[in-house]
Structure formats: C-alpha cells, structure tokens
Amino acid sequence: MIGMIAVLGLILFLHRWTLAAEPFAHWTPDYSMVDLSTILTKDVLNEHDYEILLKQSGLGRPVVDKLLATGKENMIYQIQNQFFSTPLLVREKNSPISNEEFVVDKKGNYTAGSEMIALEDGDILITQNSLTFGWRNGHAAIVVDANEGLTLESAVLGENSGFQTIGKWEKYPSFLVFRLKNTSAEERHTIAQEAVNRLNGVPYGFGVGIWSAKHPENKLKETHCAHLVWEAYRQFGYDLDSNGGRIITPKSIANSPLLELIQVYGMNPKELY
C-alpha cells in the first residue's frame, strides 16, 4: 500500500513538473517590432546594427551578411515576422519517458515556426523542446548535409543514431543554430563527414559519462544527442562541453565559447539557453 502511494505521488509530481515546463516551450519578444529598412539599405553595417537585427529577427551576423551579399534582404523581413509570431503548440510522446513539442496550424497539422537560414555542414542545432519526465533536457544535432537538409542525431531511447531532416527542426517552437568559430567551411564539412562515418548507427545511451566512459578508448558503444555532437568535434580537438563535467547536455554545448550564434527562434537572444 505504501509503495502504491509512493508511485502515485511520483506520478503526480512528474505531471505537475511537466505542466510547469510549459511556459518555456516558446518565447515571443516582449518588445516592439521595428522597421529595419533604414539598417538594411546601408552600404556598411556597424555592431549596433547587427545587435538590432539579432534582437529583431534572431539572425546572427554571418547569416545577415550572406543574405545581404546575395540580394536576399527581403528574407530578413520574413524571418522577422516569424520571430515575432506566437505559434500554436502540441506536445507528444516520443518514448515512454519523454515528449517533444511542435508547432501546429489551426487544424493541428505540423508546420514550420520559422525557417533555418543559410545552414552549412557542421552547424549545430539545439532545441529546448525535448522533455524527459517534465525536465526540459533539450535536444541537439549536427548538420551533415546542408544541401540535402540532413542532420545526424541520437534522438530517443531504444533507437540508434541516424539521419533526420532539417524540416523536423523547423517545426520545433524554439531552436538555436551555432557554428564553430574561426574555422573554414571545408574543415567543418570534414568534421560532419567523419561524424557520419563514426557516429551513425550507434545505440542510444542516456548514461554516457555516468556508467560508461565519456570518451572510451575503444569503439564508441553508446551515445546520446549532445554527446554525439560533442564527440564529433572532440575527434578534431574541439571540446564543446562548456562546464567540463562528465555529462554533456545541449545547454553545456550552447554555452561553449568556441561557438558563434547563427540563428535563434523562440528563445530570447540575450539570454538563450
């Protein structure tokens, strides 16, 4: 009887915890949208201009520069509108212990909340819309073929790591896109391809770093989302784990000083993760 009460109490606690996590599924700016035309018609942008564009659209400097250089400044206005919109959301189970949140239209169909702009191989994707027992642990992936819209990720308990699509990521109510600083596109492409060679088809292991080695000397036997991203870059001498702990999380990667922000959606650009 006592055991049954304890189990029911735990279920009630986890249910309330899940409800408490709901307000953090998506952040909409609490400030006003402004006209960007004065900035976007300049010949040269300054640091203050880039700060305003990030705050207004969630686009980092590399993306802004690329769009302006290719005459696609209208896309910045489009992304700004998406950035200031509040989407409809749904939360669904993806395993017995975990859930994911997605943007839906008025009919309940999955839809993109915002586009991911100017992705490159090796870019790192992070969302806060993955929950385990109500804990907003988040999710991470590495872009392995930007042209084809493919990511490599370790998604859920009971499945091996594998390819998924960028289109799935655009349906999350929030996401962050990061890129390794001070490196060439060729090096990041190499890192992404080596990740495909080494880290595809690896069993999911939630306890990597706890009851198995963070980086084993022999062949990797298990991984999880953030660990896969970390291991892809560790192989080339880049340690993206900002806190240096045994457990790697999407948050510890998002806070890495080795990365620059490329795009943010559904999260405060000044606070991030």
Side-chain angles (χ1 to χ4, degrees):
M1 183 65 178
I2 295 177
M4 181 66 71
I5 293 174
V7 170
L8 291 174
L10 177 60
I11 293 173
L12 179 61
F13 169 74
L14 293 174
H15 176 67
R16 291 183 180 232
W17 193 5
T18 300
L19 293 177
E22 180 66 34
F24 302 100
H26 175 89
W27 175 86
T28 303
D30 53 4
Y31 45 82
S32 299
M33 183 187 297
V34 302
D35 182 3
L36 298 177
S37 59
T38 301
I39 294 176
L40 297 180
T41 52
K42 287 184 175 182
D43 292 331
V44 179
L45 304 186
N46 58 41
E47 291 300 324
H48 183 59
D49 294 330
Y50 287 114
E51 289 179 7
I52 293 175
L53 289 170
L54 176 62
K55 188 177 178 180
Q56 285 288 313
S57 67
L59 298 178
R61 181 170 184 163
V63 180
V64 170
D65 287 346
K66 187 168 186 176
L67 292 177
L68 293 179
T70 54
K72 297 179 180 179
E73 59 271 10
N74 285 340
M75 189 168 287
I76 297 177
Y77 295 111
Q78 178 181 328
I79 297 299
Q80 182 189 28
N81 287 328
Q82 294 171 351
F83 191 71
F84 275 83
S85 298
T86 301
L88 298 175
L89 312 179
V90 64
R91 180 181 294 167
E92 297 183 348
K93 275 190 172 297
N94 63 347
S95 84
I97 63 171
S98 60
N99 298 267
E100 285 189 306
E101 297 158 326
F102 294 99
V103 177
V104 294
D105 61 22
K106 292 181 179 179
K107 294 182 179 180
N109 300 311
Y110 289 167
T111 188
S114 181
E115 297 175 65
M116 289 184 168
I117 304 299
L119 291 177
E120 297 182 3
D121 292 355
D123 283 353
I124 295 168
L125 312 182
I126 291 176
T127 181
Q128 61 178 354
N129 299 118
S130 178
L131 304 94
T132 301
F133 285 134
W135 170 42
R136 198 172 284 284
N137 53 297
H139 184 49
I142 180 172
V143 177
V144 293
D145 193 329
N147 290 332
E148 295 297 325
L150 294 178
T151 64
L152 180 67
E153 49 195 276
S154 182
V156 66
L157 187 66
E159 295 182 4
N160 291 353
S161 59
F163 299 113
Q164 297 204 29
T165 67
I166 290 167
K168 180 199 79 170
W169 279 82
E170 293 178 328
K171 295 178 178 66
Y172 284 128
S174 71
F175 60 73
L176 298 164
V177 182
F178 290 100
R179 185 170 296 161
L180 190 65
K181 294 178 181 177
N182 305 318
T183 52
S184 66
E186 290 76 15
E187 181 178 2
R188 297 192 302 274
H189 170 77
T190 299
I191 292 172
Q193 290 309 300
E194 184 62 18
V196 172
N197 295 335
R198 294 180 56 245
L199 303 174
N200 186 25
V202 179
Y204 189 98
F206 189 80
V208 176
I210 303 175
W211 48 75
S212 65
K214 184 176 180 179
H215 171 63
E217 294 183 4
N218 300 318
K219 183 179 179 181
L220 190 69
K221 295 182 179 180
E222 60 179 356
T223 189
H224 58 71
C225 67
H227 181 266
L228 184 150
V229 173
W230 174 81
E231 178 63 22
Y233 277 90
R234 184 216 60 79
Q235 176 75 6
F236 288 80
Y238 300 104
D239 186 354
L240 302 184
D241 186 9
S242 61
N243 61 24
R246 296 190 61 175
I247 303 175
I248 306 161
T249 66
K251 183 175 182 178
S252 66
I253 292 177
N255 289 325
S256 172
L258 300 180
L259 302 176
E260 64 178 328
L261 180 66
I262 300 300
Q263 185 177 359
V264 53
Y265 168 71
M267 301 173 76
N268 190 336
K270 295 302 181 183
E271 297 179 6
L272 294 183
Y273 211 121

